[in-house]
Amino acid sequence: MKLGSFATDLPPGWQLYRTVLTGENLDRVRGQTLFFSIVIQSDAPTEETAYLLVDDVRVVAADQRTRASPLPPALRGDGSRPLAVIRREGDSRFLYRMDTDGGNRTLLYRGLLNNVRNPVWSPDGQRIAVVDYNTWPWPVPDPDPQNNLLASAITVLNANGGGGQQVFQTQSQKGSRCPFVGVPGQSEVPSQILRVNHLAWLSADQLVFDIVGFNQFCNGQVTGGAANIHVAPARPNNTFPPTLAAAAVRPTANRNGRVLFEHFGGRTSGIWEVVATSSSPTPELLLAGGRETQPVWSPDSRRFAVVRDTVSPSADASERVTAIMVYDRDNLALPRQVLFADHGRSVRSISWSPNGAYLAYTLEQANGQSDIWWLEIASGATGPITTDGVSLEASWRPVSIASVYLPMVIR
């Protein structure tokens, strides 16, 4: 009986594989002695350095899943290491601040058009940068609504939600007027939509972010797609930011100026690194294959976490279980799996605690709901911080503080 299959070019490190026998397959093996084997079903040559180790094979009469654990005492809410959280409220996305136990939730920012994403704390914990979805032109819309295009800004706020300042604005480009009615020899020119999707602090006064572009036609059809990573000051300026890496998304930076990102297109897909502070930044491939995404540096600037697509099937046969792996930058051959996320549909939006002992992550469910969960690196214990199903992403304040004044005013 075939339990599953996987490629021979899997990423390194020990990885849990789990599958569930149901229905006819369970009836076939009930009361039988089982023998486990792996069969290579390919004529393709295997690299001489490739090897597969198998350990701890078990069959249990239960449906094993990752279970939620009680919140550890270290994460009881005291306001010293808060989370910046994006919550969905109807069709809107607002920025909130809350303690690590989900308490003391305070609305900080509604956004330019009630659509805020990807919050990131500054290195000193005094500011929060967010992607602010809006339109172009901005801030003065075109009198003709058809000329207002999807776009986004980067807004930097104080820790209490005040002092918001736009530091960058994408400028989408208008195509043919809609509805498009072509004449012989004339074809529709699509609008070019430019948006920031992800950002990070490179230093106390610099941001690194991706700009993603695609073509959009009057009927809603979307084609093409390109993305580059740029560096810009964390203050308003009138120059277009220089490109740090082409065909790249999801940057994350450490205190040494090293930027990890996902690469696609011209170079090998995977996790790459570039030293932004170098006089001639040259990207270096760290992890090939494209099975691992969303890299995030730890506070020690040595480790980083990624989301891995495992080979284990999920309850939905069209999907695979995701996992969180932690790599040591100086020993990429031996990553550690710290979470096997079979308690939800997928995980994303990882953020490290100030001391590097915990992760916060978003757990998405098949019904479209999502919550913020905590994960202890040492033990693998995990559990929910929010339980309302509308928490989309979180950023852990990188330094602890005694207290922060928050105005008792709804903004």
Side-chain angles (χ1 to χ4, degrees), residues 307-347:
V307 174
R308 174 182 289 187
D309 283 337
T310 75
V311 295
S312 296
S314 72
D316 184 339
S318 66
E319 298 177 343
R320 295 187 299 269
V321 175
T322 55
I324 295 179
M325 309 292 296
V326 172
Y327 279 85
D328 187 320
R329 175 61 183 86
D330 296 330
N331 186 7
L332 297 176
L334 291 174
R336 179 185 167 207
Q337 180 181 287
V338 294
L339 178 72
F340 189 73
D342 59 351
H343 52 308
R345 181 177 182 177
S346 61
V347 299

Side-chain angles (χ1 to χ4, degrees), residues 205-224:
D205 58 2
Q206 279 189 310
L207 294 166
V208 57
F209 54 91
D210 56 23
I211 299 180
V212 177
F214 56 89
N215 296 323
Q216 188 170 50
F217 292 85
C218 290
N219 63 1
Q221 178 187 2
V222 172
T223 64

Side-chain angles (χ1 to χ4, degrees), residues 28-369:
R28 289 172 57 190
V29 302
R30 196 187 306 273
Q32 305 294 316
T33 299
L34 301 180
F35 297 90
F36 178 76
S37 63
I38 295 176
V39 179
I40 299 178
Q41 297 178 313
S42 174
D43 295 330
T46 301
E47 295 182 11
E48 294 182 0
T49 56
Y51 54 91
L52 178 68
L53 301 178
V54 180
D55 188 24
D56 193 18
V57 178
R58 293 183 297 162
V59 178
V60 296
D63 186 2
Q64 291 190 328
R65 299 290 177 189
T66 300
R67 304 298 181 188
S69 299
L71 188 79
L75 296 184
R76 290 173 183 166
D78 61 4
S80 66
R81 47 196 182 278
L83 301 170
V85 177
I86 301 297
R87 286 170 45 85
R88 180 179 59 244
E89 300 185 12
D91 294 330
S92 301
R93 295 179 179 223
F94 298 143
L95 173 66
Y96 281 81
R97 176 184 176 131
M98 66 178 63
D99 285 348
T100 49
D101 59 3
N104 293 325
R105 190 174 72 215
T106 303
L107 177 64
L108 294 186
Y109 183 59
R110 294 179 180 273
L112 299 173
L113 291 176
N114 299 331
N115 195 345
V116 186
R117 301 168 186 244
N118 194 211
V120 285
W121 287 93
S122 63
D124 61 3
Q126 299 302 311
R127 291 170 294 169
I128 305 172
V130 296
V131 178
D132 224 342
Y133 272 30
N134 62 356
T135 61
W136 179 255
W138 187 269
V140 181
D142 193 293
D144 185 345
Q146 292 194 59
N147 291 329
N148 295 308
L149 305 175
L150 300 176
S152 61
I154 296 176
T155 300
V156 176
L157 313 158
N158 294 332
N160 64 4
Q165 193 175 44
Q166 294 176 50
V167 302
F168 179 74
Q169 170 70 55
T170 64
Q171 300 180 12
S172 300
Q173 300 177 20
K174 180 65 177 175
S176 301
R177 183 174 178 81
C178 300
F180 176 75
V181 180
V183 299
Q186 182 184 20
S187 58
E188 180 181 351
V189 177
S191 295
Q192 184 181 28
I193 306 302
L194 298 175
R195 275 183 163 174
V196 174
N197 274 359
H198 301 91
L199 72 158
W201 290 83
L202 182 59
S203 65
D205 58 2
Q206 279 189 310
L207 294 166
V208 57
F209 54 91
D210 56 23
I211 299 180
V212 177
F214 56 89
N215 296 323
Q216 188 170 50
F217 292 85
C218 290
N219 63 1
Q221 178 187 2
V222 172
T223 64
N228 297 319
I229 290 177
H230 303 264
V231 176
R235 61 181 184 279
N237 68 98
N238 296 321
T239 60
F240 189 80
T243 299
L244 179 64
V249 293
R250 290 185 175 273
T252 176
N254 68 9
R255 61 172 179 257
N256 299 321
R258 294 182 175 272
V259 177
L260 299 178
F261 59 89
E262 295 177 30
H263 209 302
F264 60 93
R267 295 193 180 96
T268 303
S269 296
I271 305 298
W272 289 67
E273 181 186 64
V274 63
V275 181
T277 54
S278 171
S279 57
S280 56
T282 303
E284 175 188 356
L285 177 63
L286 299 187
L287 305 171
R291 291 182 180 270
E292 295 175 320
T293 60
Q294 306 177 51
V296 183
W297 280 111
S298 71
D300 62 16
S301 293
R302 191 190 79 245
R303 296 173 298 164
F304 62 90
V306 298
V307 174
R308 174 182 289 187
D309 283 337
T310 75
V311 295
S312 296
S314 72
D316 184 339
S318 66
E319 298 177 343
R320 295 187 299 269
V321 175
T322 55
I324 295 179
M325 309 292 296
V326 172
Y327 279 85
D328 187 320
R329 175 61 183 86
D330 296 330
N331 186 7
L332 297 176
L334 291 174
R336 179 185 167 207
Q337 180 181 287
V338 294
L339 178 72
F340 189 73
D342 59 351
H343 52 308
R345 181 177 182 177
S346 61
V347 299
R348 60 178 178 83
S349 188
I350 301 172
S351 181
W352 290 80
S353 67
N355 62 3
Y358 295 89
L359 294 174
Y361 65 94
T362 301
L363 180 67
E364 295 184 325
Q365 302 292 349
N367 60 5
Q369 295 187 339

